[in-house]
Amino acid sequence: MKDAFGFPQSVLVLGGTSEIALATVRRLVARRTRTVWLAGRPSPALDEAAGGLRALGAEVRVVGFDALDPGSHEEGLGKVFAEGDIDLVLMAFGVLGDQAHDEREPLKAVRVAQTNYTGAVSAGLVTARALQEQGHGSLVVLSSVAGERARRANFIYGSSKAGLDAFAQGLGDALYGTGVHVMVVRPGFVRSRMTAGLEEAPFATTPEAVAAAVELGLRRRSETVWVPGALRVVMSAVRHLPRAAFRRLPV
Ligand SMILES: NC(=O)c1ccc[n+]([C@@H]2O[C@H](COP(=O)([O-])OP(=O)(O)OC[C@H]3O[C@@H](n4cnc5c(N)ncnc54)[C@H](OP(=O)(O)O)[C@@H]3O)[C@@H](O)[C@H]2O)c1
């Protein structure tokens, strides 16, 4: 159960090697979190992530999870909840893809959509139901400003995040009043493995800054969190730009 300050004691990360997720969990472990489940595709990086958190004093368990295999989600994630209550599910898996390349290889583009959207629909519904059965908990979904308005240079990823974002908002409304809280997090460009080698966008931020914003959002039970916060206003303007003007922006 969350403690009196609203900090989760037990956390399930979907996408257990995500740099943003690990920065968030490190922050939570430094507060009150004791039990961490890292769900992800088996790899040395996943084991290393678990080891790093154990060194901070957390009890860490690793469980297989593949966003591209939704048929396995109910059973795999069900086993986690069967072991005890989860206060926070952090949905952090995702792939950026390679837009120029993926436009020419539709099956690659489909993989981006299936990972970021279809995988999240499945894992989101499975974990939301488990949280609802407990009667408490938060589901934090890492969306992106890229979903707010799809750009020419990044519309495959952007459209997958738009779908994810809309899904998570609807799920939050469906769960309103049940004791389960859904929080949509929309970071801008984050300096992580996902963006390594890419030219930085304005308002670039860090996994640690996203982690701090997630912690604050959890404490406030926010429904939407922008990182950095200024992007809320910026994206509101961008969203309303006429198509012809938006097309000419160097983004
Ligand atoms: N970095 C940014 O600029 C940025 C901005 C806004 C939003 N986001 C979102 O934030 C989330 C975390 O990103 P990050 O920056 O922390 O990137 P990251 O370090 O590259 O993490 C991505 C995670 O997704 C996992 N993943 C990919 N495909 C998967 C699959 N089929 N099944 C299970 N897990 C899978 C990866 O696991 P493996 O180790 O198995 O590959 C990894 O754990 C993503 O949803 C991303 O879209 C990122």
Short mmCIF file of all heavy atoms in Angstrom, two decimals, residues 15-21 40-41 43 65-68 92-95 115 142-144 157 161 187-190 192-195, ligand 1:
data_model
loop_
_atom_site.label_atom_id
_atom_site.label_comp_id
_atom_site.label_asym_id
_atom_site.label_seq_id
_atom_site.Cartn_x
_atom_site.Cartn_y
_atom_site.Cartn_z
N GLY A 15 8.79 -2.55 -19.38
CA GLY A 15 9.90 -1.94 -20.13
C GLY A 15 11.02 -1.70 -19.14
O GLY A 15 11.45 -0.56 -18.92
N GLY A 16 11.47 -2.80 -18.52
CA GLY A 16 12.34 -2.71 -17.34
C GLY A 16 13.72 -2.13 -17.57
O GLY A 16 14.41 -1.84 -16.59
N THR A 17 14.14 -1.93 -18.82
CA THR A 17 15.45 -1.32 -19.05
C THR A 17 15.33 0.14 -19.45
O THR A 17 16.33 0.80 -19.71
CB THR A 17 16.25 -2.05 -20.15
OG1 THR A 17 15.53 -1.92 -21.39
CG2 THR A 17 16.45 -3.51 -19.83
N SER A 18 14.12 0.66 -19.52
CA SER A 18 13.93 2.06 -19.95
C SER A 18 14.70 3.01 -19.04
O SER A 18 14.59 2.95 -17.81
CB SER A 18 12.44 2.39 -19.91
OG SER A 18 12.24 3.76 -19.62
N GLU A 19 15.46 3.89 -19.65
CA GLU A 19 16.25 4.84 -18.85
C GLU A 19 15.35 5.77 -18.05
O GLU A 19 15.66 6.12 -16.90
CB GLU A 19 17.17 5.66 -19.76
CG GLU A 19 18.38 4.87 -20.20
CD GLU A 19 19.41 5.76 -20.88
OE1 GLU A 19 19.69 6.87 -20.38
OE2 GLU A 19 19.91 5.34 -21.93
N ILE A 20 14.24 6.17 -18.65
CA ILE A 20 13.32 7.05 -17.93
C ILE A 20 12.71 6.30 -16.75
O ILE A 20 12.64 6.81 -15.63
CB ILE A 20 12.21 7.59 -18.86
CG1 ILE A 20 12.81 8.49 -19.94
CG2 ILE A 20 11.13 8.32 -18.06
CD1 ILE A 20 11.81 8.99 -20.99
N ALA A 21 12.31 5.05 -17.01
CA ALA A 21 11.69 4.26 -15.93
C ALA A 21 12.69 4.03 -14.80
O ALA A 21 12.35 4.15 -13.62
CB ALA A 21 11.19 2.93 -16.47
N GLY A 40 10.24 -7.18 -18.79
CA GLY A 40 10.87 -6.83 -20.05
C GLY A 40 11.34 -8.06 -20.80
O GLY A 40 11.18 -9.19 -20.33
N ARG A 41 11.92 -7.79 -21.97
CA ARG A 41 12.48 -8.89 -22.76
C ARG A 41 13.80 -9.32 -22.10
O ARG A 41 14.63 -8.44 -21.78
CB ARG A 41 12.73 -8.43 -24.20
CG ARG A 41 11.42 -8.02 -24.87
CD ARG A 41 11.64 -7.59 -26.29
NE ARG A 41 12.32 -6.30 -26.39
CZ ARG A 41 12.41 -5.59 -27.51
NH1 ARG A 41 11.85 -6.05 -28.62
NH2 ARG A 41 13.03 -4.43 -27.52
N SER A 43 17.36 -9.98 -21.13
CA SER A 43 18.62 -9.49 -21.70
C SER A 43 19.59 -9.20 -20.56
O SER A 43 19.16 -9.00 -19.42
CB SER A 43 18.39 -8.20 -22.50
OG SER A 43 18.07 -7.13 -21.62
N PHE A 65 8.36 -9.98 -20.39
CA PHE A 65 7.24 -9.21 -20.95
C PHE A 65 7.64 -8.74 -22.34
O PHE A 65 8.69 -8.12 -22.51
CB PHE A 65 6.93 -7.99 -20.06
CG PHE A 65 5.98 -7.02 -20.71
CD1 PHE A 65 4.61 -7.30 -20.75
CD2 PHE A 65 6.44 -5.85 -21.31
CE1 PHE A 65 3.73 -6.42 -21.39
CE2 PHE A 65 5.56 -4.97 -21.93
CZ PHE A 65 4.21 -5.26 -21.97
N ASP A 66 6.81 -9.06 -23.33
CA ASP A 66 7.07 -8.58 -24.68
C ASP A 66 5.81 -7.88 -25.18
O ASP A 66 4.75 -8.51 -25.32
CB ASP A 66 7.43 -9.77 -25.61
CG ASP A 66 7.87 -9.30 -26.99
OD1 ASP A 66 7.63 -8.11 -27.34
OD2 ASP A 66 8.44 -10.12 -27.73
N ALA A 67 5.93 -6.60 -25.46
CA ALA A 67 4.78 -5.81 -25.92
C ALA A 67 4.21 -6.39 -27.21
O ALA A 67 3.01 -6.26 -27.49
CB ALA A 67 5.20 -4.36 -26.13
N LEU A 68 5.08 -7.04 -27.99
CA LEU A 68 4.65 -7.57 -29.29
C LEU A 68 3.96 -8.93 -29.16
O LEU A 68 3.60 -9.52 -30.17
CB LEU A 68 5.87 -7.69 -30.22
CG LEU A 68 6.42 -6.35 -30.70
CD1 LEU A 68 7.76 -6.55 -31.40
CD2 LEU A 68 5.43 -5.66 -31.63
N ALA A 92 6.48 1.91 -19.64
CA ALA A 92 7.62 2.66 -20.17
C ALA A 92 8.21 2.05 -21.43
O ALA A 92 9.23 2.54 -21.90
CB ALA A 92 8.70 2.76 -19.09
N PHE A 93 7.58 1.00 -21.95
CA PHE A 93 8.17 0.41 -23.15
C PHE A 93 7.80 1.26 -24.38
O PHE A 93 6.79 1.96 -24.38
CB PHE A 93 7.71 -1.04 -23.34
CG PHE A 93 6.22 -1.20 -23.46
CD1 PHE A 93 5.57 -1.02 -24.66
CD2 PHE A 93 5.45 -1.51 -22.35
CE1 PHE A 93 4.20 -1.18 -24.77
CE2 PHE A 93 4.07 -1.67 -22.44
CZ PHE A 93 3.45 -1.49 -23.65
N GLY A 94 8.65 1.17 -25.38
CA GLY A 94 8.37 1.90 -26.62
C GLY A 94 9.57 1.87 -27.54
O GLY A 94 10.70 1.66 -27.10
N VAL A 95 9.29 2.04 -28.82
CA VAL A 95 10.39 2.15 -29.80
C VAL A 95 10.14 3.39 -30.65
O VAL A 95 9.00 3.74 -30.95
CB VAL A 95 10.50 0.89 -30.70
CG1 VAL A 95 11.06 -0.29 -29.92
CG2 VAL A 95 9.16 0.53 -31.33
N THR A 115 4.11 -2.15 -31.09
CA THR A 115 4.79 -2.04 -29.79
C THR A 115 4.15 -0.92 -28.97
O THR A 115 3.71 -1.12 -27.84
CB THR A 115 6.30 -1.73 -29.98
OG1 THR A 115 6.88 -2.72 -30.82
CG2 THR A 115 7.02 -1.68 -28.65
N LEU A 142 3.87 6.49 -20.17
CA LEU A 142 4.79 7.41 -20.84
C LEU A 142 4.33 7.61 -22.28
O LEU A 142 4.58 6.80 -23.17
CB LEU A 142 6.22 6.87 -20.78
CG LEU A 142 6.88 6.98 -19.40
CD1 LEU A 142 8.26 6.33 -19.39
CD2 LEU A 142 6.99 8.43 -18.95
N SER A 143 3.63 8.70 -22.48
CA SER A 143 3.21 9.12 -23.81
C SER A 143 4.33 10.01 -24.36
O SER A 143 5.50 9.82 -24.03
CB SER A 143 1.88 9.85 -23.69
OG SER A 143 1.46 10.35 -24.94
N SER A 144 4.00 11.01 -25.17
CA SER A 144 5.05 11.88 -25.72
C SER A 144 4.40 13.11 -26.35
O SER A 144 3.27 13.04 -26.85
CB SER A 144 5.84 11.14 -26.79
OG SER A 144 6.69 12.02 -27.48
N TYR A 157 5.95 7.13 -35.40
CA TYR A 157 6.04 7.11 -33.93
C TYR A 157 4.97 8.04 -33.34
O TYR A 157 4.26 7.67 -32.40
CB TYR A 157 7.44 7.58 -33.52
CG TYR A 157 7.65 7.77 -32.03
CD1 TYR A 157 7.89 6.69 -31.19
CD2 TYR A 157 7.64 9.05 -31.46
CE1 TYR A 157 8.11 6.86 -29.83
CE2 TYR A 157 7.86 9.24 -30.10
CZ TYR A 157 8.09 8.14 -29.28
OH TYR A 157 8.30 8.32 -27.94
N LYS A 161 1.95 7.22 -30.61
CA LYS A 161 1.84 7.86 -29.30
C LYS A 161 0.50 8.60 -29.17
O LYS A 161 -0.04 8.70 -28.07
CB LYS A 161 3.02 8.81 -29.07
CG LYS A 161 4.33 8.08 -28.80
CD LYS A 161 4.24 7.26 -27.50
CE LYS A 161 5.58 6.77 -27.00
NZ LYS A 161 5.46 5.94 -25.81
N PRO A 187 6.56 13.72 -22.09
CA PRO A 187 7.86 14.38 -22.17
C PRO A 187 8.12 14.87 -23.59
O PRO A 187 7.58 14.34 -24.57
CB PRO A 187 8.85 13.27 -21.82
CG PRO A 187 8.04 12.07 -21.43
CD PRO A 187 6.69 12.26 -22.03
N GLY A 188 8.98 15.89 -23.69
CA GLY A 188 9.50 16.28 -24.99
C GLY A 188 10.71 15.41 -25.29
O GLY A 188 10.74 14.23 -24.92
N PHE A 189 11.72 15.99 -25.90
CA PHE A 189 12.94 15.24 -26.22
C PHE A 189 13.68 14.93 -24.92
O PHE A 189 14.03 15.84 -24.17
CB PHE A 189 13.81 16.10 -27.15
CG PHE A 189 15.05 15.43 -27.65
CD1 PHE A 189 15.14 14.99 -28.97
CD2 PHE A 189 16.16 15.25 -26.83
CE1 PHE A 189 16.30 14.38 -29.45
CE2 PHE A 189 17.31 14.64 -27.30
CZ PHE A 189 17.38 14.21 -28.61
N VAL A 190 13.90 13.65 -24.66
CA VAL A 190 14.63 13.23 -23.45
C VAL A 190 15.96 12.61 -23.88
O VAL A 190 15.99 11.75 -24.78
CB VAL A 190 13.82 12.19 -22.64
CG1 VAL A 190 14.56 11.82 -21.36
CG2 VAL A 190 12.42 12.72 -22.33
N SER A 192 18.12 10.10 -23.79
CA SER A 192 18.20 8.71 -23.34
C SER A 192 18.72 7.87 -24.49
O SER A 192 18.95 8.37 -25.59
CB SER A 192 16.82 8.21 -22.88
OG SER A 192 16.02 7.93 -24.01
N ARG A 193 18.83 6.57 -24.23
CA ARG A 193 19.26 5.62 -25.27
C ARG A 193 18.40 5.78 -26.54
O ARG A 193 18.87 5.66 -27.64
CB ARG A 193 19.07 4.22 -24.67
CG ARG A 193 19.59 3.08 -25.48
CD ARG A 193 19.55 1.83 -24.63
NE ARG A 193 18.26 1.63 -23.99
CZ ARG A 193 17.65 0.45 -23.90
NH1 ARG A 193 18.21 -0.62 -24.42
NH2 ARG A 193 16.51 0.31 -23.28
N MET A 194 17.10 6.06 -26.34
CA MET A 194 16.19 6.13 -27.47
C MET A 194 16.56 7.25 -28.44
O MET A 194 16.35 7.14 -29.64
CB MET A 194 14.76 6.34 -26.94
CG MET A 194 13.72 6.41 -28.04
SD MET A 194 12.05 6.49 -27.40
CE MET A 194 11.66 4.77 -27.16
N THR A 195 17.11 8.34 -27.92
CA THR A 195 17.39 9.50 -28.77
C THR A 195 18.89 9.69 -29.01
O THR A 195 19.28 10.70 -29.60
CB THR A 195 16.83 10.78 -28.11
OG1 THR A 195 17.38 10.86 -26.78
CG2 THR A 195 15.33 10.77 -28.04
N1 LIG B 1 13.54 9.47 -24.98
C1 LIG B 1 12.65 10.35 -25.36
O1 LIG B 1 12.98 11.40 -25.96
C2 LIG B 1 11.19 10.15 -25.04
C3 LIG B 1 10.33 11.25 -25.13
C4 LIG B 1 8.98 11.07 -24.87
C5 LIG B 1 8.49 9.82 -24.53
N2 LIG B 1 9.36 8.76 -24.45
C6 LIG B 1 8.79 7.47 -24.13
O2 LIG B 1 9.25 7.05 -22.86
C7 LIG B 1 9.32 5.63 -22.82
C8 LIG B 1 10.70 5.22 -22.32
O3 LIG B 1 11.68 5.71 -23.21
P1 LIG B 1 13.23 5.83 -22.83
O4 LIG B 1 13.69 7.17 -23.26
O5 LIG B 1 13.43 5.40 -21.44
O6 LIG B 1 13.84 4.80 -23.88
P2 LIG B 1 14.65 3.44 -23.71
O7 LIG B 1 15.68 3.56 -22.65
O8 LIG B 1 15.08 3.10 -25.10
O9 LIG B 1 13.54 2.40 -23.21
C9 LIG B 1 12.62 1.78 -24.07
C10 LIG B 1 12.14 0.52 -23.38
O10 LIG B 1 11.16 -0.10 -24.22
C11 LIG B 1 11.44 -1.49 -24.18
N3 LIG B 1 10.85 -2.21 -25.31
C12 LIG B 1 10.97 -1.94 -26.62
N4 LIG B 1 10.29 -2.85 -27.33
C13 LIG B 1 9.74 -3.71 -26.43
C14 LIG B 1 8.92 -4.86 -26.54
N5 LIG B 1 8.53 -5.37 -27.73
N6 LIG B 1 8.52 -5.48 -25.41
C15 LIG B 1 8.91 -5.03 -24.20
N7 LIG B 1 9.69 -3.95 -24.02
C16 LIG B 1 10.09 -3.30 -25.14
C17 LIG B 1 12.95 -1.58 -24.17
O11 LIG B 1 13.35 -2.87 -23.79
P3 LIG B 1 14.62 -3.65 -24.45
O12 LIG B 1 15.76 -3.42 -23.49
O13 LIG B 1 14.17 -5.07 -24.50
O14 LIG B 1 14.86 -3.07 -25.81
C18 LIG B 1 13.23 -0.51 -23.11
O15 LIG B 1 13.04 -1.05 -21.82
C19 LIG B 1 8.98 5.14 -24.22
O16 LIG B 1 7.62 4.81 -24.27
C20 LIG B 1 9.21 6.35 -25.08
O17 LIG B 1 8.43 6.33 -26.26
C21 LIG B 1 10.69 8.91 -24.67
#
